[in-house]
Amino acid sequence: MVAEQSKNTLRQRIRAELEEAETGLGLGVNIAIATLILLSAGIFVAETYPLSTSLMAGLRVVDWLIVAVFVLEYGVRLWVAERPLHYASSPYAIVDLVSILPLLTGVFDMRSLRLIRWLRILKLARFLEEEHWLGREGLIIARIVFTLFSIVFIYSGAIYQVEHPRAPEVFGTFLDAMYFAVVTMTTVGYGDVTPVSEIGRTLTIMMILTGIILIPSQVGSLVQNINRIQRVNALRCKNCGLSNHESDAIYCRRCGTQLPDTP
């Protein structure tokens, strides 16, 4: 009984560290994971350029180590979850699992699954959920900017994976793919770069639809929130220390303490 209670307490502590990140350890772990995600994305971008054999081999070793860390993270999160099956079916858990599939299927020649690595960047959204990191307005702006960046980033990776084997002279590097993605999603359409495969054309249609439906709303929301943050005052709550309240705020939105009359 004592051992079971101790085990449950350990799981609760680990779950709190991973999900809430309110302590130094939890914050450090989440920052480390976020850094590895960006490093993994950077490695893939670097691999699209001509590199020496030794440097390429070194990058692949680092990338495999990063994937191993994500496998361990996924296993720990699954172990500490209150309802493992419910967690496994959650959007973040699905993204986590899909992002590590290349390692799980590494016994086969499944290089096409490298595309799934781009989904790792979506994991960063979890670290923007803590409102006290950036403030409410800053959090909203960060989410919008991250959403726009993620859309372009993932589409660029997808079109590169699909078109590079067919047309390496056109989609030679990640920058070529990003150029095509930005031009397509903003509906500029210069026509100097075009996909040649059926999958590439399907992705292009999806890019155009995304650009028409999602991008304007995100940019509009970004402008609206930037204008809003300019009207926020700098009053700081004496009780909890929260600042950046609305200009007409009387009470702290976190703890309810009355705000001072002057900054």
Side-chain angles (χ1 to χ4, degrees):
M1 179 65 68
V2 176
E4 184 67 24
Q5 291 178 348
S6 177
K7 181 179 178 181
N8 291 334
T9 302
L10 177 62
R11 291 173 61 185
Q12 292 172 358
R13 290 179 57 186
I14 296 175
R15 182 168 63 248
E17 296 287 356
L18 290 175
E19 295 180 358
E20 299 176 8
E22 293 184 350
T23 65
L25 177 60
L27 184 61
V29 169
N30 283 311
I31 290 177
I33 292 173
T35 302
L36 289 178
I37 293 169
L38 293 179
L39 179 59
S40 176
I43 288 174
F44 181 77
V45 172
E47 288 177 348
T48 66
Y49 292 87
L51 300 174
S52 64
T53 304
S54 59
L55 181 56
M56 184 68 75
L59 290 177
R60 288 177 179 173
V61 170
V62 173
D63 188 61
W64 275 86
L65 291 175
I66 292 174
V67 174
V69 172
F70 288 147
V71 171
L72 177 62
E73 180 209 5
Y74 180 83
V76 170
R77 288 185 180 277
L78 190 63
W79 178 64
V80 302
E82 294 186 40
R83 294 183 294 171
L85 292 179
H86 182 267
Y87 168 76
S89 61
S90 65
Y92 281 137
I94 293 174
V95 169
D96 289 346
L97 181 60
V98 170
S99 70
I100 62 178
L101 279 180
L103 177 63
L104 301 181
T105 58
V107 67
F108 304 105
D109 187 5
M110 300 291 289
R111 297 178 186 178
S112 62
L113 287 180
R114 291 173 65 190
L115 167 62
I116 299 174
R117 296 183 350 170
W118 295 98
L119 294 178
R120 290 180 189 165
I121 201 165
L122 296 178
K123 290 154 62 77
L124 282 173
R126 123 177 357 129
F127 307 126
L128 296 176
E129 290 182 353
E130 294 297 330
E131 183 173 315
H132 60 273
W133 279 34
L134 301 172
R136 184 173 60 180
E137 292 77 16
L139 174 62
I140 294 173
I141 292 176
R143 279 178 170 166
I144 295 172
V145 172
F146 176 75
T147 299
L148 293 172
F149 176 77
S150 298
I151 292 171
V152 175
F153 201 68
I154 293 173
Y155 270 130
S156 299
I159 199 68
Y160 176 84
Q161 290 289 320
V162 171
E163 291 297 317
H164 178 71
R166 299 287 189 90
E169 70 284 352
V170 178
F171 294 90
T173 66
F174 178 81
L175 182 59
D176 296 330
M178 179 167 282
Y179 164 78
F180 173 77
V182 172
V183 169
T184 300
M185 295 179 68
T186 55
T187 65
V188 175
Y190 290 123
D192 55 336
V193 178
T194 56
V196 297
S197 67
E198 292 295 328
I199 298 179
R201 292 171 182 171
T202 301
L203 281 172
T204 302
I205 294 174
M206 294 172 61
M207 289 183 193
I208 295 173
L209 293 177
T210 302
I212 294 174
I213 298 173
L214 187 59
I215 300 299
S217 64
Q218 292 293 315
V219 172
S221 182
L222 177 61
V223 173
Q224 180 181 3
N225 281 280
I226 290 177
N227 292 334
R228 180 181 178 185
I229 201 172
Q230 293 176 346
R231 298 193 298 268
V232 173
N233 65 38
L235 292 179
R236 180 177 296 275
C237 176
K238 295 181 179 180
N239 182 46
C240 68
L242 183 68
S243 59
N244 296 328
H245 292 86
E246 297 293 336
S247 57
D248 59 347
I250 299 176
Y251 300 99
C252 174
R253 66 171 181 266
R254 175 183 290 174
C255 66
T257 301
Q258 185 172 355
L259 297 173
D261 295 333
T262 57

